[in-house]
């Protein structure tokens, strides 16, 4: 297989109905249940899905959910703003984990690796990389402010992304921000389930490549 990613590879997924029929049905049911209208609309969920595909970096998923989001009424501007939320949270995950570097250099630091109090050490980045840190703060603020998408849905997206990248600091910060913007528990739960389905979908879609490699 000279081209790792081609649309033609997706035809291989049809074989899964014979290779693993029970699992295929269960996945399809899961995906359908997650993306149907609920506390969040199907359009909002597909926008979230597109944001998550840019975490999982699955080109098949990006194509599929972008088309589904467009069909549900999402604009290109809305999708771009959602992806910038992903970029900001990804950047934030790296920034907040810098607190572990500070703790590693502190002989008196607690043995607890993940504590909310660790975030107090973020000032170290501002001290030693002030221009870059200010740039990150400005970028994060712009990425999450109201635009084509509201600040509320952006923070809901951020919570979904934070759970996908598994950054406890990001989960804590953006859950609190989403709560301030009026997001409900149901909305956050549904967004997290979208992220879960998209992560599963990345593995599912890449079976197209596995089947292609096996049959060559």
């Amino acid at each position: 297989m000279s081209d790792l990613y081609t649309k033609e590879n997706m035809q291989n997924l049809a074989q899964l109905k014979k290779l693993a029929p029970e699992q295929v049905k269960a996945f399809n049911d899961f995906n359908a249940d997650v993306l149907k209208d609920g506390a969040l609309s199907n359009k909002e969920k597909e926008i979230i899905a597109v944001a998550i595909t840019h975490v999982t970096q699955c080109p098949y998923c990006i194509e599929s959910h972008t088309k589904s989001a467009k069909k549900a009424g999402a604009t290109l501007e809305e999708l771009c703003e959602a992806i910038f939320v992903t970029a900001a949270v990804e950047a934030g995950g790296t920034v907040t984990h810098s607190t572990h570097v500070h703790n590693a250099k502190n002989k008196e630091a607690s043995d607890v690796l993940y504590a909310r109090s660790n975030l107090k050490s973020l000032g170290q980045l501002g001290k030693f990389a002030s221009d870059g840190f200010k740039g990150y703060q400005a970028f994060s603020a712009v990425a999450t402010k109201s635009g084509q998408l509201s600040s509320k849905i952006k923070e809901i997206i951020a919570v979904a992304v934070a759970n996908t990248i598994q950054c406890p600091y990001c989960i804590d910060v953006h859950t609190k921000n989403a709560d301030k913007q009026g997001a409900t528990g149901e909305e956050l739960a549904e967004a997290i389930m979208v992220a879960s389905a998209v992560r599963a979908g990345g593995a599912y879609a890449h079976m197209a490549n596995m089947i292609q490699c096996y049959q060559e």
Side-chain angles (χ1 to χ4, degrees):
M1 182 169 59
S2 59
D3 295 321
L4 291 176
Y5 288 108
T6 64
K7 293 183 179 181
E8 289 75 17
N9 289 344
M10 294 299 285
Q11 297 173 6
N12 294 324
L13 293 181
Q15 297 180 48
L16 290 175
K17 292 182 179 180
K18 291 183 178 180
L19 295 168
E22 185 177 3
Q23 291 88 339
V24 168
K25 183 181 184 306
F27 170 78
N28 288 337
D29 290 345
F30 168 43
N31 199 54
D33 286 342
V34 164
L35 291 169
K36 68 183 181 182
D37 286 328
L40 295 172
S41 67
N42 172 253
K43 174 188 170 181
E44 290 170 326
K45 289 182 176 183
E46 286 294 354
I47 290 173
I48 294 168
V50 171
I52 300 301
T53 63
H54 284 75
V55 178
T56 63
Q57 299 180 347
C58 170
Y60 302 126
C61 303
I62 291 172
E63 180 182 38
S64 174
H65 285 291
T66 297
K67 289 181 177 179
S68 293
K70 181 179 180 180
K71 185 177 180 180
T75 67
L76 187 55
E77 290 83 358
E78 289 173 325
L79 294 180
C80 288
E81 286 193 4
I83 295 165
F84 268 116
V85 173
T86 294
V89 177
E90 291 262 31
T94 302
V95 166
T96 55
H97 274 76
S98 71
T99 59
H100 295 286
V101 175
H102 174 74
N103 285 348
K105 296 173 66 176
N106 180 8
K107 294 181 180 180
E108 304 301 321
S110 168
D111 287 338
V112 178
L113 289 177
Y114 285 104
R116 285 191 177 94
S117 58
N118 287 348
L119 292 174
K120 295 178 181 178
S121 302
L122 279 179
Q124 295 295 311
L125 275 185
K127 177 181 178 181
F128 294 114
S130 59
D131 289 344
F133 189 65
K134 289 177 183 176
Y136 155 71
Q137 289 180 311
F139 169 55
S140 182
V142 170
T144 54
K145 75 175 185 179
S146 181
Q148 295 297 313
L149 297 174
S150 68
S151 294
K152 174 185 169 181
I153 192 63
K154 286 187 175 183
E155 287 297 346
I156 291 172
I157 292 169
V159 170
V161 172
N163 277 271
T164 306
I165 66 173
Q166 300 178 344
C167 171
Y169 304 123
C170 303
I171 293 170
D172 184 78
V173 169
H174 288 290
T175 298
K176 289 175 179 175
N177 288 346
D179 184 63
K180 290 179 182 178
Q181 293 295 331
T184 66
E186 290 81 4
E187 288 172 327
L188 293 179
E190 289 186 4
I192 292 167
M193 291 311 304
V194 170
S196 174
V198 173
R199 289 199 74 171
Y204 177 90
H206 276 78
M207 280 192 278
N209 293 53
M210 181 276 291
I211 294 170
Q212 183 70 26
C213 291
Y214 187 88
Q215 293 179 339
E216 287 180 344

